[in-house]
Amino acid sequence: MYEKQEYCVIGKSRPRIDADQQLTGQVRYTGDMKVTGMLYAKGVFSIHDHAKLLSVDTTEAMSVPGVRGIATAEDTVFNRVGIPPCLDHPVFAEKKVRYKGELIALVAADTYETACRAAKLVKVEYEVLPAVFDPREAVKPDAPILHEDEPDYYRGNIHVVPATGGNCQKLRKGNMEEGFAQCDYIIEKEFATCPRRASPIENFVTLAIPEGTDSITIYAAQQCPHGNSGPIAGVLGMPQSRVRIICPAMGGGFGVKNYMTNEAATATLARKIGRPVRWALDTAEMFEYAGTNHGVYFRYKLGFKKDGTLIALDRTSYTAAGAYRGVAMLITMKITYWGCGPYNIPYQSADCYVVATNRNPGVAFRGFGMAQPTFAMEVLMDMAAEKCGMDPYEFRKKNMIHDGDYMATGQVVRSSGSEKTLDRVVEMSGWTNAV
C-alpha cells in the first residue's frame, strides 16, 4: 500500500508568477525585442498551389537601398526540416512549390518597409502544374504526384510509415468476418472533418542572432524548442549544441506553434548576413503560410447486438497532410489506435492513410488527432442507440471501457475515468430529467 502523499502543488491554488506583468502590460514577447544592428525580414511566397520553380531572380531586389541580404534554398546546408526521421519540408522551395504560400525567399533590410518593397521585386518564374486537394482524389493512380523525387518518404502521394516501410498504419483485433457475423445490426457511414485554422493573437515571430560563425541564438514563439533545434542545426550545418532556442512569453499557441514555422529561414538569413534578423508574419501571411489542423475522411462500419452491445468496428481513414508530412503521422497514429473512442469493442480493424495534397502542411491544434475520430465515433454511437431504441447515455454506459479491459492495441486500461466523467456530464447537464 502506498502512503497518502501530501503535495505542495497538486490540488493547491498557486498564483501565476507573471500575473503582475500580464496585468500591467510589461510582458516581453519576441515581437517586442530589438537588438543592436537588427534587420527586418519579409518573405516571398508562392502564388501557385503546385508548380515547377524555374528561376528565382533577386538582382533587382538586392539593388534597393537598405537591403542587406536575401536567402534562398542555395543558402542552406541541408534544405529540409520536419519531424525526424522524415525531414521532407524544404525551408525554402526548390525545384517545385507544392502549396500556395510556400516560402521561396526571405529579404532582410534596415526597415520593414524597405524589406516589403524589395520582396515585391523578387522575380519568380513558374511552370504551373495540376493540383490536388482532396486526399481521396490524391490516392488515385492518375492523380498529380507531389513528391516524385523522394521515394524514401512517399509512394505516390501516400506517406510511408518509417518503422515498417508501409503505406498504411494498421490495427487488427480479432477476425472481422466472425465479429460481424454475430451482429444483429450493421451501420456503415462516411464522415469528413474540415481543416480548422488556429489564430493566436501573436503571429509567428522569430529573432535570430548569430554569434560568430559557429553558433546562433534564436528567440521565437515556439512550443517545441528542444525537438526543433536538431533539424534547424542541420539546415545551418552546425552542431545542435550550438543552436540555442529561447521562448519568451507566447501570445497563444494552441499547437500551431509546435511545428517549425519561420525559425530555420530566419536563422539561415541571419547567418548569411552576419547580423540579427527578425521576421514577423502579418495576419494575411499567417492565413497563407501557417497551417491548419488536419481534415480527415472516414469510412466506418459498426456492428452491434439488439441489446446495444458493440461487437465489431471496421475503419478506413485518409488524413489530409498537406504538402508535407509534419505531424500528420502522429495525428494518424492516434486515429489508428484510439479511433474507437472509450468503448470496449471485441473485434476491430483500422486502415489509416496519410496523404499529401497541395495545401498548407497540417499542424497540431487543440485535441491533436482526437477531435476528428471522436466526432465520427460519437455520431455513430447516437445512430446505433437510436437503432436499438436506447437512451444515448445508457447505450454509451453499457459499452464503456473499464479499468482492466484491453484496448485494441493490447494496452491494459489502468485508470480510465470515462464512466465517471460520463455520469458527471449527465448529472450536470440534467440529461436524465430532460428526456
Side-chain angles (χ1 to χ4, degrees), residues 396-413:
R396 285 171 169 80
K397 191 174 178 70
K398 179 180 181 68
N399 292 288
M400 194 68 69
I401 200 164
H402 298 100
D403 292 356
D405 289 340
Y406 286 86
M407 298 291 290
T409 58
Q411 177 185 358
V412 180
V413 177

Side-chain angles (χ1 to χ4, degrees), residues 171 315 333-341 370 373 407 409 411:
L171 179 146
R315 299 180 282 120
M333 177 188 72
K334 298 184 74 171
I335 292 172
T336 307
Y337 294 167
W338 303 299
C340 63
M370 290 312 301
M407 298 291 290
T409 58
Q411 177 185 358

Side-chain angles (χ1 to χ4, degrees), residues 156-230:
N157 289 326
I158 303 177
H159 298 251
V160 174
V161 183
T164 63
N167 293 335
C168 182
Q169 298 189 27
K170 296 177 180 287
L171 179 146
R172 298 291 186 269
K173 181 186 178 185
N175 184 296
M176 296 308 294
E177 289 186 8
E178 178 183 301
F180 281 113
Q182 301 175 34
C183 300
D184 297 314
Y185 302 122
I186 294 176
I187 295 177
E188 297 186 59
K189 189 72 175 176
E190 294 188 7
F191 301 93
T193 63
C194 64
R196 296 174 297 150
R197 189 178 300 280
S199 185
I201 294 175
E202 178 197 31
N203 294 337
F204 294 155
V205 186
T206 296
L207 170 60
I209 305 174
E211 297 166 353
T213 59
D214 64 345
S215 63
I216 194 165
T217 297
I218 300 169
Y219 292 87
Q222 167 58 240
Q223 290 179 255
C224 194
H226 302 292
N228 290 333
S229 61

Side-chain angles (χ1 to χ4, degrees), residues 168 189 191 296-301 314-318 335 349-353:
C168 182
K189 189 72 175 176
F191 301 93
V296 184
Y297 293 89
F298 298 96
R299 289 199 302 267
Y300 271 56
K301 180 180 178 182
D314 179 65
R315 299 180 282 120
T316 301
S317 69
Y318 297 91
I335 292 172
S349 172
D351 289 340
C352 301
Y353 297 86

Side-chain angles (χ1 to χ4, degrees), residues 87-105:
L87 303 177
D88 67 335
H89 192 163
V91 178
F92 299 97
E94 57 179 340
K95 297 182 181 179
K96 289 178 74 173
V97 292
R98 296 179 174 90
Y99 66 96
K100 185 178 180 181
E102 184 163 7
L103 182 66
I104 297 173

